[in-house]
Amino acid sequence: MTETNRATPATTKAVLFHTTGAPDVLTVEEVPLPSPGPGEVLIRVEALGLNRAEALFRAGTYFYQPTLPASRNGYEAAGVIEAVGAGVTELAPGDHVLAGPGGDLSGHGLYAERVVVPAGRVLPRPAGVDAVHAAAAWLTYSTAYGALLEKGGLRAGDHVLVTGASSGVGTAALQVAGLIGAVPIATTRTAAKKQRLLDAGAAHVITTDDEDVVKEVGHITGGRGAEVIFDAIGGPGLTTLGEAAAPDGTLIVYGWLDGRPTVLPMNWPLTVIGYNNLHLTADPASRRRAAHFIGSGLRSGALAPVVGATFDGLERMADAHRLMESNAHTGKIVVTIRH
């Protein structure tokens, strides 16, 4: 039996794509909306947080291919529960929640006005956090938390070098590092985003177009190097990043924006970790620790999601993807939905 505040609509608007390609392949269509089954909840979506992986998935360059035609997309959303399925006891209609990744994007993407998802993908929204900032929080902060703290062992006083720091995960990493007393060093191509990165939490900013990363990290760390490097880019530049690491340092690679083959640095001793956030979110204990860390930080204000731009309505999704691919923004892009 489904518990609900009102009758569940039979259909909902969702963003689909029938072929891979540029943002223009994204369309808004009416799709069937099932009632939540056992262990599932129905969410009325208020905001969608966009992620680089979704642009890669749409373009056909993600680590797996979409199922076409009529593929869904979207990893995270914030909204209100409208109904729950049998066996769901920790969530109820009216709860303000956020939903994170889980399952194949083609079948379980969240770009829609309403979605039915497993209750295990859903977390209560921290008190005082609006839908826009909640949609910008989970994947960015859980990635930074899982990579830097659970896997990377970042500690107070450590220097951490964050590449691609103007992204949603990058800005989250600056704040996570600062929260535990580490020293975040951001990289960005030009000086255009330098002040925004300092405002977002960076202690130092290196502009890679006109500064030498290894040399600047050496100056900042007194010649030791960074204890942890958090890289979103990969490619042949990874060998240079390795030279910026401290002895026995840790290099964490969580993205592959470069697209070219990644070459491992050989300046041992150095620990290299390929990080996939789905391993953290799939483990209940790790997920619980991440949720507690993020919720506590959001409530205290120590973690404040950086929202670079918002777009109103699913019809603006293609525009939002264009901005994401332009790299002109700092922080997270959010698409809001009015009901």
Side-chain angles (χ1 to χ4, degrees):
M1 177 81 59
T2 298
E3 301 175 14
T4 182
N5 287 335
R6 59 184 180 179
T8 301
T11 63
T12 190
K13 289 183 178 179
V15 174
L16 305 178
F17 60 101
H18 302 285
T19 184
T20 57
D24 290 341
V25 302
L26 299 172
T27 62
V28 179
E29 302 179 30
E30 203 78 19
V31 300
L33 180 67
S35 296
E40 295 180 331
V41 300
L42 168 66
I43 299 173
R44 183 178 75 250
V45 177
E46 297 177 319
L48 295 158
L50 272 60
N51 298 280
R52 179 72 60 173
E54 295 151 19
L56 298 175
F57 189 66
R58 181 214 74 230
T61 55
Y62 200 37
F63 73 90
Y64 67 92
Q65 290 294 304
T67 301
L68 300 172
S71 176
R72 304 284 286 262
N73 204 348
Y75 268 135
E76 58 186 329
V80 180
I81 290 184
E82 287 193 328
V84 301
V88 177
T89 58
E90 296 183 358
L91 299 166
D95 286 353
H96 292 261
V97 296
L98 52 93
D104 170 74
L105 274 172
S106 285
H108 302 281
L110 300 180
Y111 288 178
E113 291 185 346
R114 286 178 169 84
V115 290
V116 173
V117 299
R121 292 180 63 181
V122 179
L123 296 167
R125 188 191 309 176
V129 180
D130 62 28
V132 168
H133 290 86
W138 173 248
L139 196 55
T140 54
Y141 286 116
S142 66
T143 300
Y145 165 85
L148 296 179
L149 305 189
E150 296 249 343
K151 295 295 186 183
L154 186 69
R155 297 170 297 184
D158 286 350
H159 290 83
V160 54
L161 179 65
V162 180
T163 70
S166 61
S167 68
V169 174
T171 54
L174 300 178
Q175 294 179 12
V176 168
L179 179 55
I180 69 161
V183 182
I185 305 168
T187 73
T188 185
R189 287 187 57 243
T190 70
K193 297 180 180 179
K194 183 171 183 177
Q195 189 57 52
R196 280 182 275 175
L197 289 172
L198 292 170
D199 293 342
H204 307 274
V205 178
I206 299 170
T207 56
T208 58
D209 276 0
D210 51 28
E211 293 181 303
D212 184 286
V213 172
V214 176
K215 184 180 296 185
E216 292 302 318
V217 170
H219 290 162
I220 293 167
T221 63
R224 173 172 171 77
E227 283 79 12
V228 176
I229 297 174
F230 187 47
D231 179 54
I233 300 170
L238 203 67
T239 56
T240 300
L241 286 181
E243 296 173 11
D248 290 316
T250 300
L251 172 55
I252 304 168
V253 184
Y254 75 95
W256 187 37
L257 295 179
D258 185 283
R260 293 176 292 174
T262 295
V263 181
L264 292 179
M266 299 300 292
N267 52 312
W268 311 121
L270 177 69
T271 299
V272 180
I273 297 173
Y275 182 75
N276 183 338
N277 199 51
L278 294 177
H279 289 290
L280 176 132
T281 57
D283 176 64
S286 297
R287 185 183 176 91
R288 183 177 64 252
R289 290 192 297 270
H292 178 79
F293 180 90
I294 296 166
S296 176
L298 291 172
R299 286 189 294 271
S300 72
L303 301 180
V306 177
V307 177
T310 59
F311 292 83
D312 186 20
L314 293 178
E315 294 77 11
R316 299 295 309 281
M317 187 62 73
D319 293 331
H321 271 236
R322 289 188 193 96
L323 176 60
M324 182 159 51
E325 293 183 332
S326 76
N327 294 319
H329 64 292
T330 298
K332 194 86 162 182
I333 298 170
V334 176
V335 174
T336 57
I337 300 175
R338 297 181 184 179
H339 293 271

